[in-house]
């Protein structure tokens, strides 16, 4: 898993991270990429579309492509966003990985 630039307090950076694949890389490259966000961004996206709840947070019902979706997580007191495969990636694994980094 690779960390992209933090978007904590920066909605613009969050949207740049979400759309990075459109400019520079194929969509599947985004799997496992994650970045820090803040509670405001987390809440905004929680209320944007119907969420798919998962351990540690939720996934967007709108997919990036096929089964790749943005996943929003709360780990301790911090908030994170990253791309996971709805079929293969357990959100709990991503939470555990992030927790080890903190």
């Amino acid at each position: 898993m690779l960390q992209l630039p933090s978007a904590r307090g920066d909605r613009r950076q969050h949207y740049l991270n979400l759309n990075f694949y459109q400019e520079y890389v194929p969509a599947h490259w985004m799997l496992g990429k994650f970045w820090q966000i803040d509670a405001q961004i987390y809440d905004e996206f929680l209320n944007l579309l119907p969420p798919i709840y998962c351990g540690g947070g939720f996934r967007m019902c709108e997919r990036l492509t096929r089964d790749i979706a943005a996943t929003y997580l709360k780990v301790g007191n911090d908030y994170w966003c990253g791309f996971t495969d709805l079929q293969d990636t357990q959100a709990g694994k991503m939470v555990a990985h992030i927790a080890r980094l903190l």
Side-chain angles (χ1 to χ4, degrees):
M1 289 190 211
L2 175 70
Q3 192 169 342
L4 293 177
S6 175
R8 191 172 183 181
D10 188 351
R11 284 180 81 245
R12 184 189 66 77
Q13 183 62 54
H14 179 60
Y15 282 99
L16 287 173
N17 290 346
L18 282 174
N19 294 298
F20 185 77
Y21 78 96
Q22 292 181 5
E23 296 290 326
Y24 306 106
V25 295
H28 70 274
W29 185 87
M30 295 301 289
L31 281 172
K33 307 304 184 278
F34 63 96
W35 58 94
Q36 191 168 19
I37 58 174
D38 55 35
Q40 290 79 19
I41 292 171
Y42 183 93
D43 290 339
E44 176 185 348
F45 279 81
L46 178 60
N47 295 310
L48 188 63
L49 294 170
I52 300 170
Y53 291 102
C54 62
F58 66 95
R59 292 174 165 151
M60 297 298 293
C61 66
E62 184 178 86
R63 292 172 172 86
L64 175 64
T65 184
R66 295 183 306 252
D67 287 332
I68 301 172
T71 301
Y72 291 80
L73 304 166
K74 183 175 183 196
V75 181
N77 292 324
D78 297 314
Y79 295 88
W80 298 84
C81 181
F83 285 102
T84 60
D85 186 305
L86 297 174
Q87 300 300 318
D88 297 334
T89 309
Q90 296 176 358
K93 285 185 179 182
M94 194 167 193
V95 169
H97 178 76
I98 291 168
R100 282 192 301 272
L101 297 176
L102 299 178

